[in-house]
Amino acid sequence: MAEIIPVDPFDYIVFGGTGDLARRKLLPALYHRFVDGQIPDGAQIIGVSRSPLDHDGYRQSINDACRTFLPAEDIDEKALADFLTIVHHISLDALDDDADWSELRALLNDDTRVRVFYMATAPRLYGPVAQNLDAQGLITPATRIVLEKPIGTDLASARAINDAVGAVFDEQAIYRIDHYLGKETVQNLMALRFANALFEPLWSNAAVDHIQITVAETVGVEGRASYYDHSGALRDMVQNHLVQLLCLTAMEPPSTFDAGCVRDEKLKVLRALRPITRAEVERKTVRGQYRKGAVNEQAVLGYLDEEGVAPSSTTESFCVIKAEIDNWRWAGVPFYLRTGKRMALRASEIVVSFKEVKHSIFTDDAGKLHANKLVIRLQPDEGISLDLMTKEPGPGGMRLKPAELNLSFADAFNVRNPEAYERLLMDVVRGNQTLFMHRKEVEAAWQWVEPILDGWRDTKQEAHGYMAGGLGPAASIALIERDGRTWDDELL
Ligand code: BG6
């Protein structure tokens, strides 16, 4: 079993406690931490929502959620029953000035404990709820607040949220979560880069030709159209998850692995991202929207037929951006970012494509020399592989073939790969902000993304149709092929 870092008893209060995120991810993640022995006796998990559920009703709903969203083999009946005894529910409209907070206050009766308020609600509530927490005297020196994405829909709204929450909480008490940073392989990217001497000398435009970052999903809008149709892939995935992956791939080595140093280096990358102007959006970006098709041999609806999507919606469920970083290390190395829903497979990877050998000593009949490629697989089958050219075994001259050095984390380490939220939820309790975003990062990411959104609006950039279960629109292939490159689609 992985090592557990012990923590003192704490109070975890989840606003939006009956919502999709709480049921699907947060409570199941806390259950896992409980099973692994990281949640000490006396800790409390309190769901807050407007629903009239009592404690037992809520426990029943979390019981159902754990059984629905966790694999059956993860359910230990005794552990689940014990876990539910520390789960509580408070019915409260946190925005109502006349709401009665006394029940919640009664549960939070130890002001010396770590207290975490997790905002799993619509982002427009973050500021007002923070202010009410303050007015209710619930913010102690050991209180932290967790803000889920999306933080805003553009730079101005992100600033407004950060200002409103910042008026009540210090930056050190604010944890802006991006669950991609909690994924094991994303953290492994830092181990790969900074715990090995091998890669750093190659990690620049001297040896790297280009980098691809792909997050392909098979799911559609999953009943979230009321949010997604106003958001689209750029706001939902690129502004946060893909941009964070880009930062970790491109950042300079921080001097230590602490929050301040890591976040400063990411911020420098964000500030060096070359703006994409209105005149360039057509050349450097592609938008797509899925049409009906089949995923894993199951017929699925097109985006426009999904429940809750506006009939003539032009929201993108796919997008590609060619990003460039204006600094010494990365000048001339494009980062192709690509994400989409209803793609052929669920597959996320970062592919570092190295330059070709400068001069081949082999004759043409040895075969084509392929450039080396380092693939960091985030999901599924987390691992790292390196494509090398090798000699094909056997006599009969020198024939060259690409072969793969493959490290699969499942094979190398025989442990359950924790869900991203497990690590992050407990990092908040431990007071470790390394894998959370500083407000400056969120705002710098919006600063880069917003002109793309404006460019799309002003140039009425089309969302190209693509068949569900495919590789995305043809225009996304054309975008990279114009540069003489191709997508690394072995996984897809
Ligand atoms: C969320 C997005 O942040 O990430 C979803 O809002 C998306 O639209 C999800 O499906 C993907 O996360 P994961 O961990 O399944 O890759």
Side-chain angles (χ1 to χ4, degrees):
M1 204 207 285
E3 200 179 315
I4 301 293
I5 301 175
V7 294
D8 291 331
F10 55 82
D11 295 321
Y12 227 109
I13 304 100
V14 181
F15 284 92
T18 51
D20 195 56
L21 179 70
R23 288 171 43 79
R24 204 181 268 265
K25 296 284 184 190
L26 305 182
L27 274 294
L30 288 167
Y31 161 73
H32 265 307
R33 299 325 304 142
F34 183 85
V35 172
D36 283 355
Q38 204 180 11
I39 299 195
D41 286 349
Q44 304 188 96
I45 298 166
I46 305 167
V48 178
S49 77
R50 285 182 304 181
S51 145
L53 285 174
D54 60 12
H55 297 310
D56 280 340
Y58 187 59
R59 286 176 192 137
Q60 189 51 49
S61 123
I62 298 306
N63 184 0
D64 295 345
C66 287
R67 290 174 196 279
T68 310
F69 298 116
L70 289 173
E73 63 272 20
D74 288 5
I75 300 292
D76 173 326
E77 294 298 338
K78 160 104 180 57
L80 181 55
D82 290 347
F83 170 69
L84 292 172
T85 63
I86 67 166
V87 172
H88 310 268
H89 181 259
I90 301 288
S91 298
L92 179 71
D93 182 347
L95 288 186
D96 181 353
D97 289 339
D98 300 324
D100 178 7
W101 290 71
S102 58
E103 249 192 289
L104 179 60
R105 209 177 296 115
L107 278 180
L108 301 179
N109 54 12
D110 183 348
D111 283 358
T112 63
R113 287 173 167 219
V114 167
R115 185 175 290 173
V116 179
F117 291 111
Y118 196 112
M119 303 301 299
T121 63
R124 67 190 154 75
L125 307 189
Y126 298 172
V129 172
Q131 274 143 24
N132 277 340
L133 292 173
D134 189 31
Q136 295 297 327
L138 289 172
I139 304 178
T140 59
T143 297
R144 289 143 206 184
I145 187 165
V146 185
L147 308 183
E148 254 299 331
K149 64 156 272 265
I151 299 186
T153 51
D154 56 16
L155 180 59
S157 54
R159 277 196 179 132
I161 291 171
N162 283 332
D163 285 345
V165 177
V168 179
F169 287 92
D170 286 343
E171 183 63 27
Q172 296 92 290
I174 305 175
Y175 289 70
R176 295 179 192 81
I177 202 164
D178 181 318
H179 79 279
Y180 267 59
L181 296 181
K183 289 188 188 271
E184 279 293 311
T185 320
V186 176
Q187 295 169 63
N188 243 311
L189 174 58
M190 287 188 276
L192 180 79
R193 288 195 57 199
F194 307 128
N196 295 289
L198 200 61
F199 295 108
E200 186 50 28
L202 301 176
W203 212 259
S204 74
N205 49 13
V208 175
D209 175 71
H210 75 281
I211 293 181
Q212 300 181 13
I213 302 180
T214 296
V215 177
E217 300 186 274
T218 49
V219 293
V221 287
E222 296 184 291
R224 298 157 71 220
S226 60
Y227 150 73
Y228 193 87
D229 203 32
H230 297 285
S231 167
L234 181 57
R235 288 190 174 97
D236 183 51
M237 295 294 287
V238 179
Q239 188 272 343
N240 33 74
H241 306 325
L242 277 89
V243 163
Q244 284 292 320
L245 296 180
L246 175 145
C247 287
L248 293 177
T249 310
M251 71 183 181
E252 295 299 314
S255 58
T256 64
F257 189 54
D258 78 20
C261 292
V262 172
R263 300 192 318 174
D264 281 355
E265 293 307 337
K266 288 197 285 160
L267 186 59
K268 286 184 205 158
V269 175
L270 289 164
R271 288 185 171 154
L273 278 171
R274 184 182 302 174
I276 295 180
T277 63
R278 191 159 305 163
E280 291 170 330
V281 283
E282 182 145 14
R283 202 161 35 86
K284 292 192 177 174
T285 73
V286 170
R287 310 175 69 230
Q289 192 184 72
Y290 60 83
R291 304 286 179 251
K292 70 175 185 216
V295 176
N296 297 330
E297 295 174 13
Q298 294 273 319
V300 295
L301 296 175
Y303 181 80
L304 292 179
D305 297 321
E306 298 272 15
E307 201 183 325
V309 167
S312 55
S313 169
T314 56
T315 300
E316 80 285 354
S317 57
F318 173 99
C319 86
V320 166
I321 315 259
K322 177 180 174 184
E324 287 154 294
I325 302 175
D326 285 331
N327 65 18
W328 273 40
R329 188 187 281 266
W330 295 116
V333 179
F335 284 65
Y336 299 96
L337 311 181
R338 175 175 60 157
T339 186
K341 293 202 181 285
R342 288 288 191 229
M343 306 275 286
L345 274 183
R346 177 170 189 249
S348 303
E349 58 176 26
I350 301 171
V351 181
V352 181
S353 285
F354 291 94
K355 292 191 167 160
E356 300 195 340
V357 292
K358 302 230 178 325
H359 164 71
S360 173
I361 63 168
F362 303 103
T363 53
D364 286 351
D365 49 3
K368 183 176 163 13
L369 291 188
H370 295 259
N372 300 125
K373 206 169 64 177
L374 177 69
V375 180
I376 299 147
R377 288 189 308 275
L378 309 184
Q379 54 200 25
D381 184 23
E382 292 87 342
I384 294 171
S385 65
L386 179 63
D387 283 12
L388 299 169
M389 289 306 295
T390 54
K391 177 188 170 297
E392 202 178 310
M398 185 59 124
R399 292 184 311 275
L400 300 167
K401 276 218 130 176
E404 214 176 60
L405 266 180
N406 206 344
L407 169 65
S408 155
F409 294 133
D411 295 345
F413 305 97
N414 191 17
V415 290
R416 179 183 69 85
N417 230 347
E419 274 277 323
Y421 276 102
E422 291 182 44
R423 152 100 207 223
L424 297 174
L425 288 172
M426 297 311 290
D427 275 1
V428 182
V429 176
R430 292 170 49 223
N432 182 352
Q433 284 187 311
T434 310
L435 298 178
F436 294 82
M437 292 173 293
H438 193 279
R439 85 172 271 175
K440 289 183 186 163
E441 287 178 72
V442 174
E443 291 174 14
W446 277 120
Q447 214 148 5
W448 183 66
V449 161
E450 196 171 307
I452 304 174
L453 288 165
D454 293 346
W456 284 353
R457 186 199 54 221
D458 296 349
T459 62
K460 299 197 171 41
Q461 187 157 323
E462 174 189 358
H464 299 273
Y466 63 98
M467 210 173 64
L471 298 180
S476 68
I477 299 168
L479 180 144
I480 195 164
E481 289 189 346
R482 277 201 298 275
D483 292 347
R485 302 181 173 109
T486 50
W487 291 109
D488 179 73
D489 276 339
E490 273 166 41
L491 272 180
L492 290 183

